[in-house]
Amino acid sequence: MKVLVYVNPEKEIASKTVKKLANSLEKNLIKYKIVYSETEIDFNEKFDVLFVIGGDGTILRRTEFASKSNLPIIGINCGKLGYLSDEIDLAVNLFMQNKLIEDNRINLSVSYNGKEYIALNDVNIQRTYLDNKGNVINVSFSIDGNKVDTIVGDGIIVATPTGSTAYSLSAGGPILVPGINSLSITPVSAHSLGQRSVVFSAESKCDLILEGSNSAGLFVDGRFICDLKEKDIIRYDGIKNR
């Protein structure tokens, strides 16, 4: 068995936490590798599990790597919402005994310009201010080839059940229970009373198309990916993994 440990070096208590984890792994004779950035990872090296030391954002930023590597994630919270490093020995022991409870979540995999992006929470098209105007944007979306609506406003959010309680909820979107096989589309600051959230099956396909020339950006789990151009398409081809 071999464990990969990713540490967010920006967290003040991360250094103490990773020492505790390393001691616990050594006590259980588990091989491990500690990295502080993805550039340190050899993608040909095989691991059985990924420990992430940091906050919720740190885990989100490791989701794509873990999904593509088929690695379960065990998070050790050193963020603002909690401090669970005192339970490291318990977590390692339960992992060794195969008693940790798996919490499978839908990942949102979208393609743009031939590249795939994976989100645990959400994919967002949002207006930007490159043209110094900051005008509202128009984003049309279709489900299984059928056009549903065109959102006029600040943007649009496609959220997983996990992400339904994050940015989507702040924008007025519905809460989806973790086990449901569905996604939601929620407008951001829509300029019409009739534009509301849409919930659709994760098995369906969905296209988001930027209409008009006003500046907009693509964001995946809050991370800026790129600027978009008129008629650019963000495509979701149905659920691929959890």
Side-chain angles (χ1 to χ4, degrees), residues 106-108 141-144 148 158-161 176 179-185 198-207 236-240 242:
I106 293 175
N107 284 336
L108 179 54
F141 67 96
S142 61
I143 297 175
D144 291 331
V148 178
V158 184
T160 66
L176 306 178
I180 194 171
N181 194 33
S182 297
L183 303 171
S184 66
I185 292 179
V198 174
V199 176
F200 66 101
S201 169
E203 307 293 338
S204 295
K205 296 183 179 181
C206 178
D207 283 350
Y236 168 74
D237 282 327
I239 188 169
K240 293 182 180 180
R242 288 176 177 264

Side-chain angles (χ1 to χ4, degrees), residues 102-129:
E102 284 192 6
D103 187 5
N104 291 318
R105 298 297 179 100
I106 293 175
N107 284 336
L108 179 54
S109 175
V110 298
S111 59
Y112 171 69
N113 270 355
K115 187 171 181 180
E116 181 186 46
Y117 300 94
I118 297 176
L120 177 61
N121 272 356
D122 49 51
V123 171
N124 174 29
I125 296 177
Q126 184 170 308
R127 71 170 176 170
T128 56
Y129 299 87

Side-chain angles (χ1 to χ4, degrees), residues 159-192:
T160 66
T162 304
S164 70
T165 56
Y167 185 24
S168 178
L169 180 63
S170 298
I175 295 176
L176 306 178
V177 295
I180 194 171
N181 194 33
S182 297
L183 303 171
S184 66
I185 292 179
T186 297
V188 180
S189 300
H191 282 217
S192 170

